[in-house]
Amino acid sequence: MYLTDRSATPEADTSPARRRGPGPKVAPVVLVLGTVSLITDVSSEMVTAVLPLYLVTTLGFSPLGFGALDGVYNGVSALVQLTGGHLADRVRNHKLLAGLGYGLSALCKPLLLLAGSIGALGTVLALDRTGKGLRTAPRDAMISLSTPVERQGRAFGVHRAMDTTGAMLGPLAAFFILRAAADGYDAVFGVSACVAVLGVVVLLLFVPGRRRETPDGAGAEPRPPVRVKEALALLRLPRLRALAGCAALLGLTTVSDAFVYLLLQRRAGVGEEWFTLLPLGTAVVFLLLAVPLGALADRIGRRTVFLAGHVGLLTAYALLLWAPDTPLLVRRARPARLVLRGHRRGAAGRAGRGGARAPAASGLAIVGTSQALARFCCSLAFGAAWTMWGDGTALAGSAIGLLCCAAVAGVVLRPSGGPR
């Protein structure tokens, strides 16, 4: 969830090239990075689709144990995301750091075949998320620096649509592999590793190396490397502090997708054989909404679209709580929950991501880190609450907390002149 805007960083670049960069509506580098993300997400989502059931049913983890690993999966990237963002700004080689991140994640996939304990799995997942933390800010900075200001929402929307296409294909691949292979989980992990390597190869061969700071690359001298003091100075900006604080508040009350799918299986009676297809419904809706909502955010304001996404998420929580009491309507309510979950991700996930400026990667990483650390805490707390009081009580508490935090975010992020 990035809701950064031009007021979030100092010294916004207002050169003519930035304001009205010539060329296609979406820069070629955005399409190439989108292809890398598509391939990588096929690999990642193959694992994500089977991991909850693998941990809970095959390895016998409790909700608290699963929450700990899910917290690692969602939160460890925060420990390195600021480092990745700062290094990208410091060494001015976004491709190098992004490639290291993608490569580390690819190396972790085959290690899942050897990990059977909570400690080993936690280590492998932590390394995988370290790779994600290293690559996210440099990759987003490459998109931001190659795109004019007025097209940022569209560029990130196109990238996210391609990324989500991979998220849609990954669960499908896992579903067919599980049905065809005798050792289904091992086969999924092995194929995932091969696909991840392909993504790294595409990045190395087709993504340009060092880039100039303007989208058309015409005659601009690169800025000097960003120092630690300059990156930390971003926290003095009231707008960035507000964005980071809201990201943390909402992350603390946003139940992870893995827990939502486990809840949907338990409370709505989804069979284990169909479990890997649950992320598909969310991904399809996200794919359909990513580009339109990105463009809509550019027109009507990122805050409005962002808050509308969390309203959709609250509705999804309500449907999950309602389903067991109305068994005759469970089948009809199930698709609605997936649609609303996808709507939230499309509206709140990346619609407002564009617009960050110097230092580009560090600004994006600060907001992302706030959210990732909060989600780490949320997974631990939700798993503990499920273990002690049951899934319904845990979900109801998260819904009430999200409602309160969304209301606070709506007030804090209220525009006071300038970009919305």
Side-chain angles (χ1 to χ4, degrees):
M1 187 280 300
Y2 295 111
L3 199 66
T4 52
D5 58 31
R6 283 168 298 205
S7 64
T9 50
E11 301 176 9
D13 190 346
T14 57
S15 64
R18 262 295 187 202
R19 291 195 308 268
R20 299 198 179 276
K25 291 184 177 180
V26 178
V29 69
V30 176
L31 299 177
V32 177
L33 288 170
T35 301
V36 174
S37 293
L38 187 154
I39 296 171
T40 303
D41 249 37
V42 171
S43 170
S44 298
E45 294 302 322
M46 287 174 64
V47 173
T48 301
V50 302
L51 199 58
L53 269 189
Y54 176 68
L55 296 177
V56 173
T57 64
T58 302
L59 299 184
F61 284 16
S62 67
L64 178 58
F66 176 74
L69 285 180
D70 189 63
V72 168
Y73 195 74
N74 286 296
V76 164
S77 61
L79 300 178
V80 293
Q81 197 170 47
L82 275 175
T83 301
H86 171 70
L87 288 176
D89 288 327
R90 180 74 178 173
V91 304
R92 316 305 273 173
N93 194 332
H94 298 151
K95 177 182 175 179
L96 174 62
L97 286 177
L100 289 175
Y102 280 110
L104 180 59
S105 294
L107 287 174
C108 290
K109 297 299 188 298
L111 296 180
L112 290 170
L113 296 167
L114 307 176
S117 66
I118 189 170
L121 278 168
T123 301
V124 172
L125 293 178
L127 289 173
D128 177 71
R129 295 296 91 183
T130 297
K132 180 176 176 59
L134 281 175
R135 71 181 184 247
T136 298
R139 181 202 64 204
D140 291 346
M142 283 191 281
I143 296 174
S144 179
L145 294 173
S146 65
T147 306
V149 170
E150 69 275 9
R151 297 174 186 167
Q152 294 269 318
R154 185 185 301 273
F156 278 99
V158 168
H159 174 268
R160 194 56 181 166
M162 298 179 71
D163 184 84
T164 307
T165 301
M168 181 178 63
L169 296 176
L172 277 176
F175 174 76
F176 288 116
I177 291 171
L178 285 176
R179 292 178 68 91
D183 297 324
Y185 290 118
D186 289 349
V188 169
F189 297 150
V191 174
S192 173
C194 296
V195 177
V197 171
L198 177 60
V200 176
V201 171
V202 173
L203 175 76
L204 295 177
L205 293 181
F206 298 105
V207 174
R210 293 175 180 269
R211 298 181 60 86
R212 296 190 181 276
E213 296 273 335
T214 56
D216 59 355
E221 291 296 327
R223 292 173 181 164
V226 178
R227 300 181 180 181
V228 175
K229 185 181 295 186
E230 294 171 343
L232 293 178
L234 294 173
L235 292 173
R236 299 175 185 172
L237 298 167
R239 185 63 172 173
L240 186 63
R241 287 201 305 269
L243 294 171
C246 290
L249 274 177
L250 294 167
L252 282 172
T253 52
T254 300
V255 181
S256 73
D257 286 354
F259 267 124
V260 168
Y261 300 142
L262 284 175
L263 286 166
L264 191 58
Q265 185 216 13
R266 170 173 291 199
R267 299 177 69 82
V270 178
E272 290 187 8
E273 68 275 15
W274 303 106
F275 183 86
T276 56
L277 294 181
L278 289 179
L280 183 61
T282 303
V284 168
V285 175
F286 194 113
L287 177 64
L288 295 175
L289 294 180
V291 174
L293 288 178
L296 182 64
D298 287 338
R299 290 198 302 270
I300 70 172
R302 295 162 188 164
R303 170 181 172 271
T304 302
V305 176
F306 166 75
L307 293 175
H310 284 85
V311 171
L313 182 59
L314 279 168
T315 308
Y317 288 176
L319 288 172
L320 271 172
L321 289 167
W322 165 54
D325 298 326
T326 54
L328 295 178
L329 299 178
V330 164
R331 292 179 180 270
R332 296 183 180 180
R334 188 184 306 159
R337 287 189 291 273
L338 296 177
V339 166
L340 290 166
R341 185 75 181 180
H343 169 262
R344 179 262 165 187
R345 291 177 64 186
R350 307 290 171 93
R353 199 171 195 170
R357 290 298 176 266
S362 297
L364 289 166
I366 287 172
V367 181
T369 297
S370 301
Q371 185 193 41
L373 287 174
R375 287 187 173 179
F376 176 83
C377 297
C378 179
S379 290
L380 290 176
F382 189 84
W386 184 339
T387 301
M388 291 187 292
W389 302 307
D391 56 351
T393 302
L395 184 61
S398 296
I400 294 171
L402 181 60
L403 178 62
C404 296
C405 292
V408 172
V411 174
V412 173
L413 298 176
R414 183 168 21 188
S416 55
R420 291 172 295 178

